[in-house]
Amino acid sequence: MATKAGSSDNVGERFNGEYAVEINGLQKSFGPFHVHQGINLKVRKGTITYIMGGSGVGKSVLLKQIMGFIRPDAGKVIVNGESIHEASMRDTKRIRHSMGVLFQNGALFDSLSVYDNVSFTLKEQLHLPKSELDARVKSLLESVGLTFEHSKKMPAQLSGGQRKRIALARAIAMKPSIMMYDEPTTGLDPLTTDMVTKLIRETNDQYNLTSIVISHDTNVALDVAEELAFLKDGIVQYVGEPKGVFSDQNPDVREFFASGRKRLKL
Amino acid sequence: MLAPVIRYLRFWGELASFLWQTLTGLKMVYRRFPLIVQQIDFIGIQSLTILTFSGIFIGAVMSFQTYVALDLFGMESFLGASVGLALSRELAPVFAGIMVAGRAGAAIAAEIATMRVTEQIDALDALGTDPYDYLITPRLIAGVFSLPLLYGYFLLVGCLAGYFVGVVILDADGSIFWYRLAWAVDINDIFQGSIKAAIFGFFLSLMGCFYGFNANNNAQGVGIATNRAVVITSLLILFSDYVLTAYLPYDPSNLIYNGD
Ligand SMILES: Nc1ncnc2c1ncn2[C@@H]1O[C@H](COP(=O)(O)OP(=O)(O)OP(=O)(O)O)[C@@H](O)[C@H]1O
Ligand SMILES: [Mg+2]
């Protein structure tokens, strides 16, 4: 467990008693199908929290409820102290601006160049002169490990890892305080997985973010998560430090994380 | 028993709410001028080739059949009038509408459905840009603006092709063709044809956007959205064409032939 040093040991000092996101008694059904049956979760400011669970347990739906795209049937989502589903349309927009999302496959705008993708929000929200815009795009690309050279390319010309980096640059352009990642490493090769994981870590520190990462990659999560939540059957089955999962009383929790470990040993 | 009724009502409810959201995007429309121009290029300019060919064939076949029928009664001097009237009032708006629905309407549905499936629409929302205002409104405006112009173009091409077939290939008199055409087709016909075309342009953009926007988030989603958009738009065009023909004011008295 040497790799874990430096991940969870400094949570305590960065946590200042405030929560970036609080989820209380969240319920959501699609027709007869109950996805969430009372989710409770508090995400501490400044941490990297992994939300884990099998396919179809409603991880993406949870993210969309935090963003305010999907309205819960019951319960509350409080983002930086404000209840996003009870806010006016205008306030919802403002609260959303404090959040950035990296969607499952990046969700870059296919019809726009890398430059236009990265500068999208800057152009939409601010009226910056071209030179200023160039400078910002350049620094955003550099902060995700790319150069300005990439800005003329179209998304179709990029590799999976590059797309994720550019989507990240686009998401942090307006300096959100919370960054959410929907399965950032699913479908990537091991090297790119490491690269993206490192980037999440670095971005979290560089921009003083709270990071919420949705994933079913147990190995990565055990490695970098400071806080870990496990979803199953519509509720949070475990929340706490990653190292606690193997000694948890709930067999579902132990089993889910052990299966990842077993694969590692093969 | 009740399920189809509920589905039907839900469809109209969703469509109305979609339209409402789009209309609220209108107040910011001046900001979207570049996107509107881009869409006019896509829906309008890029449809010119397909409309050139369909205009030629429709005008030609119309002229051919009409000539054969009129010739039976020795009335081939009315060829220009028949071709001009049929094209300006019905054929040009309906065919332009259906052709552009198949080309641009389908492409709009596919593009927006792809954006839905790949979460690009969620990304717009997440980045604080209203997807209705950014995606839908410009396409609706471009559709309504482009189709009347495409209608005019189709009409011109169709009449020229009709002239070619009737006069050059068959044996109608050239100057009488144009004389009767100008006598029969008045500004009101062109105006009503343009109104129809604008309405059809509205339908094809609206349905393309609507089905694309509500596409199912899976592999078949894009195909289903595209298919539905084209089928429903075509039916809507044919149906509303009848309604518009029946209810738009029309005064046929200027067609009473007084022997000149
Ligand atoms: N808009 C919707 N309408 C109906 N059902 C939905 C909708 N969105 C999600 N669902 C259903 O809710 C369940 C949870 O979906 P979700 O996408 O959140 O899963 P997930 O945990 O992210 O899974 P994965 O790891 O595969 O991405 C799924 O069964 C899905 O079919
Ligand atoms: Mg998901």
Side-chain angles (χ1 to χ4, degrees), chain A residues 208-232:
Chain A
N208 278 321
L209 294 169
T210 304
S211 300
I212 299 174
V213 186
I214 283 171
S215 174
H216 39 213
D217 191 336
T218 49
N219 296 316
V220 174
L222 291 171
D223 200 22
V224 290
E226 293 167 331
E227 188 91 349
L228 196 153
F230 173 66
L231 256 55
K232 193 176 182 232

Side-chain angles (χ1 to χ4, degrees), chain B:
Chain B
M1 191 29 209
L2 221 56
V5 180
I6 292 173
R7 244 198 338 263
Y8 180 80
L9 291 177
R10 226 179 71 191
F11 171 83
W12 287 104
E14 279 172 5
L15 189 60
S17 121
F18 184 79
L19 195 55
W20 173 248
Q21 298 269 13
T22 306
L23 293 181
T24 59
L26 276 177
K27 59 181 186 289
M28 299 290 277
V29 77
Y30 60 93
R31 285 189 55 198
R32 297 304 179 199
F33 190 68
L35 288 175
I36 295 172
V37 172
Q38 199 183 325
Q39 289 303 321
I40 288 174
D41 174 57
F42 178 69
I43 298 174
I45 316 258
Q46 293 180 40
S47 292
L48 284 176
T49 317
I50 187 175
L51 287 191
T52 305
F53 286 105
S54 47
I56 287 174
F57 296 131
I58 297 292
V61 80
M62 176 69 206
S63 182
F64 192 94
Q65 289 290 8
T66 312
Y67 181 86
V68 171
L70 289 175
D71 193 37
L72 287 177
F73 307 101
M75 291 166 70
E76 60 288 7
S77 64
F78 285 89
L79 181 63
S82 304
V83 169
L85 271 184
L87 278 172
S88 64
R89 295 187 57 85
E90 301 295 341
L91 295 179
V94 169
F95 271 94
I98 290 183
M99 292 312 287
V100 179
R103 199 201 130 261
I108 289 172
E111 184 187 8
I112 294 183
T114 305
M115 292 187 73
R116 165 64 72 201
V117 173
T118 56
E119 295 181 302
Q120 291 176 56
I121 294 181
D122 287 331
L124 276 175
D125 249 326
L127 295 170
T129 293
D130 179 5
Y132 289 95
D133 151 58
Y134 185 78
L135 292 174
I136 315 297
T137 312
R139 284 169 171 80
L140 275 186
I141 292 174
V144 173
F145 179 82
S146 302
L147 261 286
L149 300 176
L150 292 175
Y151 155 77
Y153 178 74
F154 191 104
L155 180 60
L156 183 72
V157 173
C159 288
L160 288 173
Y163 172 86
F164 183 80
V165 167
V167 176
V168 180
I169 298 183
L170 303 171
D171 204 22
D173 184 288
S175 58
I176 294 211
F177 182 94
W178 292 120
Y179 174 68
R180 287 274 183 250
L181 192 149
W183 162 76
V185 178
D186 64 10
I187 193 73
N188 191 38
D189 296 316
I190 310 266
F191 179 69
Q192 295 203 0
S194 310
I195 296 280
K196 281 184 175 179
I199 291 173
F200 299 161
F202 176 76
F203 284 155
L204 72 89
S205 286
L206 177 68
M207 290 327 234
C209 291
F210 177 71
Y211 281 106
F213 206 80
N214 292 303
N216 273 339
N217 204 339
N218 56 34
Q220 300 97 321
V222 178
I224 292 174
T226 311
N227 186 9
R228 293 224 175 116
V230 175
V231 171
I232 300 293
T233 308
S234 305
L235 288 176
L236 254 182
I237 287 178
L238 293 173
F239 169 73
S240 60
D241 180 59
Y242 174 76
V243 174
L244 290 167
T245 300
Y247 292 103
L248 278 178
Y250 176 54
D251 173 19
S253 64
N254 64 336
L255 282 182
I256 293 171
Y257 180 58
N258 47 23
D260 58 340

Side-chain angles (χ1 to χ4, degrees), chain A residues 59-60 104 182-183:
Chain A
K59 303 184 296 292
S60 299
Q104 206 149 342
D182 194 355
E183 307 205 2

Side-chain angles (χ1 to χ4, degrees), chain A residues 17-18 33 36 39 68 74 145-146 161 166-167 179 189 209 227 253 261:
Chain A
E18 289 178 45
F33 181 54
H36 297 146
I39 302 253
L146 295 170
I166 286 156
M179 188 61 215
D189 63 79
L209 294 169
E227 188 91 349
V253 177
R261 244 191 179 181

